[in-house]
Amino acid sequence: MTSVKRWLGLAVWWVACMGMEGAAAQGALRIGMVAGFTGPEAVPVQESADGARLYFDAVNAQGGIRGQRIELLTQDDRHDPAAAAAQARSLASQGVLALMLSRGTGPTEALLPVLKAQRLPLLAPATGAVGLREPVQPYVFHLRASYPQEAERAVRHLAGIGVKRITIVQVNDAFGNDAGKGAIRGLDAVRLRALSHLRFDGRRPDLAPTMHAIARAGIEAVVLIGPGAAVVEGVNALRAAGSTAHVATLSNNATGEFVKRLGANARGVIVTQLFPYERSTAHPLVREALGLARAAGRGELTPAQLEGFAAAKLVVEALRRAGKDLTRDGVLKALEGPRIDLGGLQLRYGDKDHGGLSFTDVSIIGPDGKFWR
């Protein structure tokens, strides 16, 4: 009798273990996102998360990855580097396979020690900082183009419409320095020189005197590189000084909030973009995203939503290529290999290049407040 009870006990234990193993096999594949859901970048951060969920939901509706659902876990770092590192450690302890869509150079740099310690890949960080690309960071896989590539594209556009008298006004930090170098490179490529190259303190911009001097000098275009609040201040000061010069800024300002704060001065501002036009149904990526958005009862896409959607496609492709090895190491191995097609946008990662796409474009804010291309 005792042996029978012992056998039954072992049988119950075996069935329980098998049940837990099966539950684990069918559990969610967790992906983490640490970014500023509150603070100065809250709007594009939330929009990019919405875009990512749009694609993850579609994949889950088709059975997920090998029968497992994808779950996006988000944490708010308030755009603070110390908080970003702490939140990343928290997500790592919850078993995320990868992080995605961190935003900003400082918070992303703060993640690097965590990524290394946890062997945790970070996909599609929303920063174009050169320092995160050179030298190659083995756990960081970029999707968007770099800040210098953006600024160079803006200058080439200005030259292409016949502008010659160009000045550069940049925030005096790593972001501004990276983009400023790209603007100079763009000018060199079209055999022009900046009439002036000015810097301002991002904490206390005080751009009115600078913009009044630019207006008096008869400058035809200003490449204005900085955070949204500073750029809004600069554009408004330039217009108040009576200047009709073109203004070009970077994609960190491609948000509805930026347009709203500019008010009547928004029209005509040139803003670089890092992904195809979110209204262009001729582009495969946009057509797919719009189709899913409309099926889900959502309205038009924003640039940040499209970036989030593309980032989610990159995550899903990595998970699919990992096959049965749905681990952090499996994801890392899967990313470095054959070319990845995100729907008209192709990229390839190697051990010496995690740079991502080189796609850049320009948009102009129209009378309706939309980013027209």
Side-chain angles (χ1 to χ4, degrees):
M1 190 70 171
T2 302
S3 62
V4 171
K5 288 182 178 178
R6 184 177 299 162
W7 182 89
L8 287 172
L10 289 170
V12 169
W13 173 83
W14 182 83
V15 170
C17 287
M18 289 301 292
M20 285 189 292
E21 183 178 318
Q26 296 302 314
L29 300 173
R30 291 182 166 183
I31 305 297
M33 178 177 173
V34 178
F37 285 89
T38 59
E41 299 291 330
V43 172
V45 165
Q46 185 59 61
E47 288 178 352
S48 62
D50 291 343
R53 285 198 172 97
L54 178 64
Y55 189 67
F56 288 153
D57 288 348
V59 173
N60 288 337
Q62 297 297 317
I65 305 295
R66 302 178 70 85
Q68 295 175 261
R69 293 177 56 81
I70 303 169
E71 181 181 1
L72 181 63
L73 305 182
T74 61
Q75 294 280 5
D76 179 16
D77 66 18
R78 307 180 304 281
H79 205 66
D80 176 70
Q87 300 289 21
R89 285 191 290 269
S90 173
L91 287 174
S93 71
Q94 296 176 56
V96 297
L97 296 175
L99 298 178
M100 67 184 299
L101 290 170
S102 60
R103 193 169 189 92
T105 303
T108 301
E109 288 176 338
L111 299 180
L112 297 180
V114 182
L115 304 181
K116 182 178 180 180
Q118 300 291 334
R119 294 189 59 78
L120 183 62
L122 168 62
L123 284 68
T127 170
V130 172
L132 288 165
R133 298 161 186 261
E134 300 172 4
V136 171
Q137 298 292 337
Y139 298 99
V140 181
F141 296 83
H142 295 278
L143 181 57
R144 55 161 59 189
S146 70
Y147 294 141
Q149 288 172 308
E150 281 194 73
E152 181 176 354
R153 181 67 178 86
V155 168
R156 286 178 176 269
H157 170 77
L158 292 170
I161 60 175
V163 174
K164 298 185 184 300
R165 296 174 57 80
I166 300 173
T167 193
I168 302 167
V169 180
Q170 64 156 91
V171 62
N172 191 22
D173 61 12
F175 162 52
N177 292 337
D178 280 351
K181 290 175 183 176
I184 293 296
R185 189 170 68 197
L187 287 167
D188 289 343
V190 295
R191 299 182 179 180
L192 292 176
R193 295 178 66 87
L195 294 186
S196 59
H197 188 166
L198 309 173
R199 292 171 171 81
F200 63 88
D201 186 340
R203 295 166 297 181
R204 297 181 297 276
D206 190 23
L207 286 170
T210 298
M211 293 302 164
H212 278 267
I214 288 172
R216 289 195 301 270
I219 299 297
E220 293 179 286
V222 180
V223 179
L224 186 47
I225 301 162
V231 174
V232 168
E233 178 186 331
V235 173
N236 288 340
L238 188 67
R239 299 297 180 240
S243 173
T244 59
H246 297 282
V247 176
T249 190
L250 301 195
S251 66
N252 62 299
N253 295 317
T255 67
E257 182 65 20
F258 176 72
V259 175
K260 181 180 178 180
R261 293 174 69 180
L262 277 174
N265 290 328
R267 184 174 180 176
V269 172
I270 299 163
V271 184
T272 56
Q273 300 286 354
L274 297 171
F275 292 88
Y277 187 27
E278 62 275 7
R279 296 182 179 184
S280 177
T281 55
H283 195 284
L285 176 70
V286 179
R287 185 166 60 247
E288 180 183 14
L290 282 173
L292 292 175
R294 288 165 181 164
R298 302 186 187 184
E300 294 181 344
L301 295 172
T302 66
Q305 285 172 332
L306 187 61
E307 180 172 11
F309 186 86
K313 285 181 71 73
L314 178 60
V315 169
V316 168
E317 183 62 21
L319 294 173
R320 285 174 173 159
R321 291 188 179 192
K324 294 182 180 180
D325 189 11
L326 289 170
T327 63
R328 293 172 187 172
D329 281 343
V331 172
L332 285 166
K333 292 175 185 175
L335 283 164
E336 289 187 352
R339 188 176 301 277
I340 298 171
D341 187 348
L342 300 178
L345 294 176
Q346 296 186 340
L347 69 163
R348 185 174 186 173
Y349 300 115
D351 59 352
K352 295 182 180 180
D353 182 11
H354 288 183
L357 301 168
S358 59
F359 181 95
T360 56
D361 198 1
V362 293
S363 63
I364 299 176
I365 301 175
D368 60 354
K370 302 293 185 182
F371 295 95
W372 288 93
R373 297 195 223 180

